[in-house]
Each structure stands twice: as C-alpha cells, then as structure tokens.
Amino acid sequence: MATGICRSDWHGWKGHDSDIMDHGLPFVPGHEVSGIIVEVGNDVTKFKLGDRVAVPFILSCGQCSMCSTHNRPTICEKQEQPGFSMYGSYAEYLALPRADRNLSIIPDSVSFIEAAALGCRFTTAFRAVVQQGGVASHTTVAIFGCGGLGLSCVMIAAAYGAKQIIAIDVSDLALEKAK
C-alpha cells in the first residue's frame, strides 16, 4: 500500500484550494493512493476483499453531462477528490464513493508505489495530452519539464502514437529518462 505527495497537497495545506476550505477541519490530505480492499460496500460488485487497487485523483460520478455525454470524467461536475473534498490517503482507512466506477485492479507486476503515482500524474497528463492537446499520430508534442508529470505526458503521447515528442528540461538526467 502506498500514498504519495505532490504539489497539489502543498496548495491544499497552504489554503489555496476551496474544496479543502469548504470541507473544513479536521482534514486528512492524500490523493495519490493504492491499497488493498478491506471492506466492500453494498453497491460494490466489481471488487472483493483483498483486491489490490489504484485510486484516481478524480472520483467521477458517471451521470453528469461531462461524464455521460462528453466522456470527460476528469472534469466531472460532481467529482469527489480524496485529500480535498473528503478525507485522504494519509488516514488509516479510506472510504471511496462509486468504487465500481473509479477503482482499478493493480496487476501483480505493478507495485503499490508505482500504482499510487498513476491516479494523479497520469490522470493529469491524460487530460493535458489527450483531452486538451488532442494528440494523434500526425501531431508533434512538446513537453516542458520532465519530472513525474512531464514523463507521464511523454509516455501518454508515445502510447497515442504522436509523430514526434520533444522533451525539454534543464536536467540531463530528466532528459535521459524521457528517452
């Protein structure tokens, strides 16, 4: 089981995020998370006790127009966000709404640490590269900064068959990872 920390958490504890302000104190941060199911709600049909799962940053509803009509769950109108609109992954246990829609089984070949990074970084990168950028086989993609998010953008652009991917960073090590 793993949880990460990212710049969004910093914004939260600095008071820059209205979801946290609306939720109020006490509050528990953490939105990059993977774990093992220890209890299953009555409406859950796709998961069982002991399943290894990854959690996305945005827990979408599947019913609003952004989810159902536009297939844009990353901007769900009724989204929940662990660590922002609800208790997060630094709690001992995390109860997640709409589990059947939002959780994903982690293959045995993927560690909890790797899976925890997927829910935020890859969700954000997917929205940027695919939903906003419209990457396709004829496109050239430029990625400025090759940290965790930037490298996720590189991988998604490659997976979607971008014609050319240009990675830009001041760190030779980061650029090497982007190759």
Side-chain angles (χ1 to χ4, degrees):
M1 296 151 310
T3 190
I5 191 164
C6 87
R7 185 68 173 195
S8 297
D9 295 307
W10 177 85
H11 284 292
W13 71 65
K14 292 297 279 183
H16 302 156
D17 191 285
S18 63
D19 286 334
I20 292 175
M21 303 309 286
D22 293 344
H23 180 278
L25 298 175
F27 198 73
V28 179
H31 63 277
E32 296 181 340
V33 59
S34 63
I36 298 171
I37 294 181
V38 298
E39 188 174 321
V40 179
N42 293 334
D43 295 333
V44 177
T45 62
K46 295 181 180 179
F47 301 97
K48 64 185 182 317
L49 294 180
D51 280 348
R52 296 165 20 100
V53 294
V55 179
F57 177 35
I58 306 295
L59 301 174
S60 63
C61 73
Q63 305 298 316
C64 72
S65 67
M66 294 315 293
C67 287
S68 63
T69 304
H70 302 290
N71 194 28
R72 306 283 297 268
T74 58
I75 52 175
C76 171
E77 296 164 1
K78 298 176 186 171
Q79 63 182 258
E80 296 276 350
Q81 300 173 346
F84 290 85
S85 62
M86 57 186 286
Y87 280 177
S89 56
Y90 282 93
E92 184 175 359
Y93 295 99
L94 183 59
L96 298 164
R98 307 182 288 254
D100 279 350
R101 175 168 177 78
N102 289 292
L103 302 185
S104 297
I105 294 288
I106 304 171
D108 290 336
S109 60
V110 176
S111 74
F112 284 116
I113 292 171
E114 293 165 330
L118 297 176
C120 181
R121 282 182 232 159
F122 275 83
T123 299
T124 303
F126 180 83
R127 176 154 161 64
V129 174
V130 176
Q131 292 181 338
Q132 295 299 107
V135 67
S137 60
H138 65 279
T139 56
T140 296
V141 178
I143 297 158
F144 293 82
C146 296
L149 179 57
L151 291 174
S152 298
C153 289
V154 168
M155 288 185 257
I156 288 173
Y160 272 76
K163 177 179 161 185
Q164 183 178 21
I165 301 169
I166 303 167
I168 302 152
D169 202 293
V170 296
S171 166
D172 290 336
L173 179 60
L175 290 172
E176 189 60 36
K177 288 180 181 180
K179 291 181 183 178

